[in-house]
């Protein structure tokens, strides 16, 4: 097990290097001179050159990349070109907001998705099954910014039950989490259903019934644990796409998270902040996948029943 | 019977690498077939029997070059098959056909029987285009199906009928050798008997040579002229049918024969029940591979691999690989 | 034959309802099993033998349903029991082992956990006592070093070992009836010999009754006391094992025996049954076997014969043995040299 984890960690190195290269090149290939934007439209040429020198923008691109990488390894992402604050200081509070949003949404997705998927599978072709799968299809095909706006329209503006914007209080959390978590719930429900149906037809489920176990025990102890194995992968992938989806959700609900920060700073060509944000999201994504892989291996054999 | 060898297999080895470890290096090999030598004579049926993992199917696949053998030579009708390039090998497949266990999996569900048969003829240019359909109808009748079934799809047939289509396809290119890999194993007994009779009839009619790979010794006794018994990638005994069933020499062959339930409750026979399971072919036992389960094993069996040999009490061509043939014979 | 009967199945009918159609998989099956004996249920694919076995413990897959008949086990009709009552019998008084040992054990639990589960449900054994009993059971079924094996997962065991574990699990609560559904079909022949020997030994040791579902007449000959031959969802013949091999009555039984390639004698040519095994979706009218039977008359294709007891005690479902037989009165079903049409 230990060797497996170490091997996976070593395999992460090239992946993360690749991510930094892509992030770095994307930013430097986008049109628009950052120095010009920082200095303002009508700034004199000397000011712009001065800024360019200070930021190291005149160095060859590989050198710039090397500096960026060296600092990033030390967890130093430089200072924001826009606010002159250290990037880490700018990012930290926003990162926690986004992480909270993603974690709550994932919990919501898992909870709803698993329950719906199990009901659907156990009562295949029933009205409940057909209903759940229809709703899931709807949840899957709905763009989440539109869904967010609709929720806001009904629950905030018309019914006035929940606040339309912001983040922090329990009431403020509900709508963004539903917006962001619905698609994941739909994906998990569909995956759980097909995985459960597959497992229920296995020989060992028949063995479990032949032992004289209650149907509930057969489903939850014998079927679910096996059915979860593929679902866990999907949950991991969902968490990654949640981080990305958070950008839109944060914008819709005016939440001061990393997504919103990124959108703002891309427009302002604030390279250090954008690079750091993308890098953090990539690292989180990669590590979640690592955890998924480990739990996958774990679930596969060594589950304690007693 | 002066016989001509149609196929000569010499020192065939098929080792499959196992990847693993830190960087996915080859850490070990599955020695599926390990130094196997035998000949098949023209017009005979040679069967290869053994339990799962003994290498019987791998041997068949290696002859067809479905997997590239690790080592050894395979001479078919005077030509070294392993020296042929891909294109030449494809041409050679005209003479070397195969019938698999699951006929459904090996028939394209979107093709009618006519298309399946005519395609096989087209690939090998075995029959002029204008005559292909006529030939297909002829083949169907040969294998006991009706000519009016020719435009149907595989799913419209039962398992036994599909196996007949598979046989018709193999016959469509006039092969010399047909490898039957568990060809009747999946069929119900009453249908299996039909297919076995058909194979026997076709052999006589077209002077076919069969390499028959099977695990059912009843089937093997019915169809074979000679039989090879394999255990963990090695030949343990090779003999004509009569000698093998009536005068088996290797303790594994004896145990195998005595393990088969006899469909007659009045027959009380002495049963040799082997202990334990077949060891893994990844690290097969040193010396004689059967020594871990053999009731006669001694030190020499653990150290030295026995060679196939023929003794006075055995017919010509009957050979077994055991250090203790004489001793075991004397005890009985 | 004045023995106590442990199982008496009467006119069992089990169907699968597919797209509004009723597919009769088991269509009026009746047989008796004397206590401590083994009955073999033989037949080819689609004969309904496995469905019969599944019906006894009501372990049928989804659209399957018992439509009628009785399954009397020790004086109780199992078809009338509630879900809870039948659960108390499963794995306790009646146990079952299956064809595929490789997939019949749950891959995510250890051998010990899976055996303990049965002991806990029916006997309320705690973990410690359950483990002790599990080790005893593994010893009983001949698994070496059982103390280590209880901690292992199924994938660490070979097919033969897994079938032994299945048997250990089935025996956990000293069942009175063991249903073995093709228990050795997926195993190699030397392993099959081990498992059959084990079942026979355990049976005489524990006094169980056994239902052996199989397609292999060799297995029947070696393990059974009585044989029910099934064809097209019906029992076509029921006899004690010696009689069925010595004097088979139904043309299908005769055909089946003549189809087997024997490993112990040479046969010039097998005498197969013509045609194909019918599908339960498309059962012929009249006698199910009539389209493949070399003796079939018009009566056979129109009307279904009943399963009647003969003078020698055997039961057979065939018009030849009735007063209404309208074919050759001198007919001898055991006479060879029948030609199969589709040969």
């Amino acid at each position: 097990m230990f060797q497996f984890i170490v091997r996976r960690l070593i395999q992460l190195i090239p992946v993360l290097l690749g991510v930094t290269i892509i992030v770095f090149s994307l930013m430097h290939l986008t049109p628009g001179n950052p120095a010009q934007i920082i200095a303002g439209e009508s700034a004199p040429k000397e000011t712009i050159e001065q800024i360019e020198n200070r930021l190291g923008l005149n160095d060859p691109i590989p050198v710039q990349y090397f500096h960026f990488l060296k600092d990033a390894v030390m967890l130093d992402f430089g200072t924001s070109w826009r606010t002159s604050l250290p990037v880490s200081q700018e990012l930290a509070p926003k990162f926690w907001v986004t992480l909270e949003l993603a974690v709550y949404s994932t919990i919501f997705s898992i909870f709803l998705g698993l329950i719906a998927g199990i009901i659907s599978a156990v009562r295949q072709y029933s009205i409940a099954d057909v209903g759940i799968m229809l709703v899931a299809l709807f949840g899957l095909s709905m763009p989440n910014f539109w869904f967010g706006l609709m929720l806001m329209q009904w629950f905030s503006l018309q019914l006035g039950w929940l606040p339309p914007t912001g983040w922090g209080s329990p009431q403020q959390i509900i709508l963004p989490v539903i917006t962001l978590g619905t698609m994941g719930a739909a994906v998990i429900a569909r995956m759980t259903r097909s995985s459960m149906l597959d497992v229920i037809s296995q020989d060992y489920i028949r063995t479990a019934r032949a032992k004289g176990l209650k149907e509930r025990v057969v489903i939850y102890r014998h079927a679910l644990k096996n059915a979860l194995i593929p679902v866990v992968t999907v949950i991991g992938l969902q968490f990654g796409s949640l981080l990305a989806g958070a950008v839109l959700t944060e914008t819709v609900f005016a939440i001061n998270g990393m997504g919103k920060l990124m959108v703002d700073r891309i427009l302002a060509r604030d390279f250090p902040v954008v690079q750091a944000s993308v890098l953090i999201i990539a690292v989180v994504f990669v590590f979640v996948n690592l955890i998924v892989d480990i739990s996958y291996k774990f679930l596969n054999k060594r589950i304690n029943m007693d | 019977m002066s016989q001509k060898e149609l196929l000569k297999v010499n020192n065939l080895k098929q080792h499959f690498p196992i990847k693993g470890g830190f960087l996915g290096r080859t850490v070990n090999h599955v020695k599926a077939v390990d130094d196997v030598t035998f000949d098949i004579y023209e017009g005979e049926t040679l069967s290869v029997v053994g339990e799962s993992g003994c290498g019987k199917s791998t041997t068949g696949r290696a002859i067809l070059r479905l997997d590239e053998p690790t080592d050894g030579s395979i001479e078919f009708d005077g030509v070294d098959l392993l020296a042929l390039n891909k294109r030449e090998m494809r041409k050679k497949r005209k003479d070397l056909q195969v019938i698999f266990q699951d006929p459904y999996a090996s028939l394209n569900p979107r093709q009618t029987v006519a298309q399946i048969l005519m395609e096989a003829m087209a690939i090998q240019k075995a029959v002029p285009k204008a005559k292909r359909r006529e030939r297909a109808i002829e083949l169907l009748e040969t294998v006991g199906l009706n000519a009016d079934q020719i435009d149907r799809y595989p799913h419209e047939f039962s398992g036994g009928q599909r196996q007949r289509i598979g046989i018709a396809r193999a016959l469509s290119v006039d092969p010399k050798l047909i490898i039957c890999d568990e060809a009747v194993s999946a069929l119900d007994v009453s249908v299996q008997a039909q297919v076995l009779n058909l194979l026997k009839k076709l052999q006589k009619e077209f002077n076919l040579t069969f390499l028959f790979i099977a695990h059912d010794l009843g089937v093997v006794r019915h169809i074979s002229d000679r039989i090879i018994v394999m255990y963990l990638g090695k030949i343990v005994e090779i003999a004509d049918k009569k000698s093998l069933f009536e005068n088996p020499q290797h303790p594994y062959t004896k145990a195998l024969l005595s393990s088969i339930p006899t469909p007659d409750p009045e027959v009380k026979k002495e049963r040799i029940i082997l202990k334990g399971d077949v060891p893994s072919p990844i690290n097969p036992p040193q010396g004689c591979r059967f020594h871990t389960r053999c009731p006669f094993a001694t030190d020499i069996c653990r150290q030295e691999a026995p060679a196939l040999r023929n003794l006075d009490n055995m017919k010509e061509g009957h050979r077994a690989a055991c250090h203790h043939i004489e001793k075991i014979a004397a005890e009985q | 034959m004045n023995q106590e009967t442990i199982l008496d199945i009467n006119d069992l009918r089990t169907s699968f309802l597919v797209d509004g159609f009723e597919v009769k998989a088991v269509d009026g099956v009746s047989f008796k099993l004397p206590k401590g004996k083994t009955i073999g249920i033989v037949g080819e694919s689609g004969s309904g033998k496995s469905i019969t076995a599944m019906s006894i413990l009501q372990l049928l897959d989804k659209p399957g349903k018992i439509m009628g008949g009785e399954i009397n086990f020790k004086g109780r009709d199992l078809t009338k029991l509630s879900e809870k009552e039948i659960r108390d019998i499963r794995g306790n008084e009646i146990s079952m082992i299956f064809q595929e040992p490789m997939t019949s054990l749950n891959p995510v639990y250890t051998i010990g956990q899976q055996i303990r589960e049965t002991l806990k449900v029916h006997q309320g054994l705690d973990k410690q006592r359950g483990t002790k009993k599990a080790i005893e059971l593994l010893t009983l079924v001949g698994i070496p070093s059982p103390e280590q094996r209880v901690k292992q997962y199924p994938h660490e065991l070979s097919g033969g070992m897994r079938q032994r574990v299945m048997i250990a699990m089935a025996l956990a609560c000293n069942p009175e009836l063991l249903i073995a559904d093709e228990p050795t079909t997926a195993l190699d022949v030397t392993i099959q010999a081990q498992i059959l020997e084990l079942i026979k030994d355990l049976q005489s040791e524990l006094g169980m009754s056994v239902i052996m579902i199989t397609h292999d007449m060799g297995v029947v000959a070696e393990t059974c006391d009585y044989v029910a031959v099934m064809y097209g969802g019906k029992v076509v013949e029921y006899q004690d094992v010696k009689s069925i091999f010595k004097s088979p009555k139904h043309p299908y039984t005769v055909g089946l025996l003549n189809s087997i390639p024997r490993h112990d004698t040479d046969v010039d040519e097998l005498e197969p049954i013509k045609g194909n095994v019918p599908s339960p979706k498309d059962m012929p009218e009249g006698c199910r076997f009539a389209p493949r039977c070399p003796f079939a008359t018009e009566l056979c294709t129109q009307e279904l014969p009943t399963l009647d007891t003969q003078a020698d005690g055997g039961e057979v479902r065939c018009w030849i043995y009735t007063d209404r037989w309208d074919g050759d009165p001198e007919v001898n079903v055991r006479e060879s040299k029948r030609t199969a049409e589709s040969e």
Side-chain angles (χ1 to χ4, degrees), chain A residues 223-239:
Chain A
L224 188 58
K225 252 172 200 165
N226 284 285
L228 276 184
I229 295 168
V231 175
V232 166
T233 318
V234 171
I235 291 174
L237 292 172
Q238 276 305 306
F239 188 80

Side-chain angles (χ1 to χ4, degrees), chain C residues 140-198:
Chain C
L140 180 72
V141 297
I143 290 184
S145 51
E147 294 84 3
Q148 273 84 54
R149 294 290 182 188
V150 286
K151 291 177 214 142
Q152 286 185 319
Y153 290 86
H155 71 97
E156 296 171 76
L157 273 63
S158 68
M161 280 298 155
R162 289 189 212 181
Q163 196 61 297
R164 284 174 192 265
V165 170
M166 284 296 291
I167 294 172
M169 214 153 80
L171 296 181
C173 302
N174 286 324
E176 286 165 73
L177 175 62
L178 177 70
I179 304 172
D181 186 4
E182 303 257 12
T184 56
T185 304
L187 301 173
D188 277 322
V189 59
T190 58
I191 309 297
Q192 163 169 293
Q194 295 172 354
I195 298 291
L196 291 180
E197 196 74 10
L198 174 69

Side-chain angles (χ1 to χ4, degrees), chain A residues 20-42:
Chain A
T20 55
I21 291 174
I22 292 169
V23 169
F24 187 82
S25 347
L26 273 180
M27 285 314 293
H28 285 262
L29 290 175
T30 42
N33 182 350
Q36 174 90 59
I37 294 171
I38 293 168
E41 281 292 326
S42 53

Side-chain angles (χ1 to χ4, degrees), chain A:
Chain A
M1 195 58 161
F2 178 72
Q3 203 203 350
F4 170 77
I5 294 171
V6 172
R7 192 163 72 226
R8 290 307 312 261
L9 282 173
I10 292 173
Q11 283 170 352
L12 287 185
I13 295 171
V15 174
L16 289 174
L17 267 181
V19 168
T20 55
I21 291 174
I22 292 169
V23 169
F24 187 82
S25 347
L26 273 180
M27 285 314 293
H28 285 262
L29 290 175
T30 42
N33 182 350
Q36 174 90 59
I37 294 171
I38 293 168
E41 281 292 326
S42 53
K45 219 173 171 184
E46 297 80 55
T47 322
I48 294 176
E49 271 169 15
Q50 211 184 345
I51 295 174
E52 275 178 349
N53 277 334
R54 180 163 56 84
L55 299 179
L57 286 172
N58 289 332
D59 294 339
I61 298 271
V63 175
Q64 289 187 43
Y65 171 70
F66 185 72
H67 285 301
F68 160 69
L69 190 65
K70 196 183 72 191
D71 292 344
V73 170
M74 318 293 277
L75 295 180
D76 174 8
F77 299 106
T79 51
S80 163
W81 293 350
R82 189 179 167 82
T83 61
S84 299
L85 292 168
V87 170
S88 46
Q89 199 180 324
E90 279 225 53
L91 274 181
K94 316 246 154 119
F95 173 72
W96 290 117
V97 169
T98 302
L99 192 67
E100 255 178 46
L101 177 61
V103 168
Y104 291 154
S105 302
T106 305
I107 292 170
F108 171 76
S109 300
I110 294 173
F111 191 70
L112 193 67
L114 279 184
I115 292 179
I118 292 168
I119 294 174
S120 251
V122 173
R123 307 174 58 187
Q124 195 190 5
Y125 303 135
S126 69
I127 293 175
D129 175 30
V130 174
I132 287 169
M133 282 304 113
L134 266 176
V135 172
L137 189 65
F138 189 61
L140 207 59
S141 25
M142 223 167 15
N144 73 19
F145 65 89
W146 177 82
F147 185 48
L149 289 171
M150 288 299 115
L151 288 177
M152 212 191 276
Q153 168 80 15
W154 297 324
F155 293 101
S156 307
L157 304 182
Q158 288 185 359
L159 298 168
W161 290 353
L162 296 164
T165 56
W167 184 258
S169 73
Q171 288 87 350
Q172 279 174 321
I173 287 173
I174 295 174
L175 289 185
V177 162
I178 293 176
T179 306
L180 192 52
T182 298
M183 187 188 277
V187 173
I188 291 169
R190 286 161 64 104
M191 190 70 213
T192 307
R193 176 179 187 266
S194 70
S195 177
M196 276 295 272
L197 285 177
D198 184 45
V199 168
I200 285 174
S201 66
Q202 295 292 317
D203 291 341
Y204 55 80
I205 295 301
R206 189 181 53 193
T207 305
R209 293 203 177 106
K211 281 172 164 182
L213 302 179
K214 291 194 183 105
E215 193 59 21
R216 196 166 41 84
V217 178
V218 173
I219 296 294
Y220 289 98
R221 194 187 292 164
H222 285 270
L224 188 58
K225 252 172 200 165
N226 284 285
L228 276 184
I229 295 168
V231 175
V232 166
T233 318
V234 171
I235 291 174
L237 292 172
Q238 276 305 306
F239 188 80
S241 60
L242 276 186
L243 286 175
V247 175
L248 287 170
T249 311
E250 286 173 11
T251 310
V252 169
F253 289 97
I255 297 169
N256 248 330
M258 221 162 59
K260 195 159 170 297
L261 179 77
M262 263 165 70
V263 173
D264 294 346
R265 296 306 165 88
I266 288 171
L267 295 174
R269 296 290 182 281
D270 192 350
F271 287 6
V273 173
V274 178
Q275 280 167 354
S277 314
V278 175
L279 199 59
I280 287 172
I281 291 181
V283 169
V284 171
F285 186 76
V286 165
F287 272 92
V288 168
N289 272 301
L290 175 68
I291 293 168
V292 166
D293 277 5
I294 292 169
S295 58
Y296 193 97
K297 212 172 156 66
F298 192 72
L299 264 174
N300 231 341
K301 291 157 206 162
R302 291 155 210 229
I303 290 172
N304 199 351
M305 175 166 64
D306 297 314

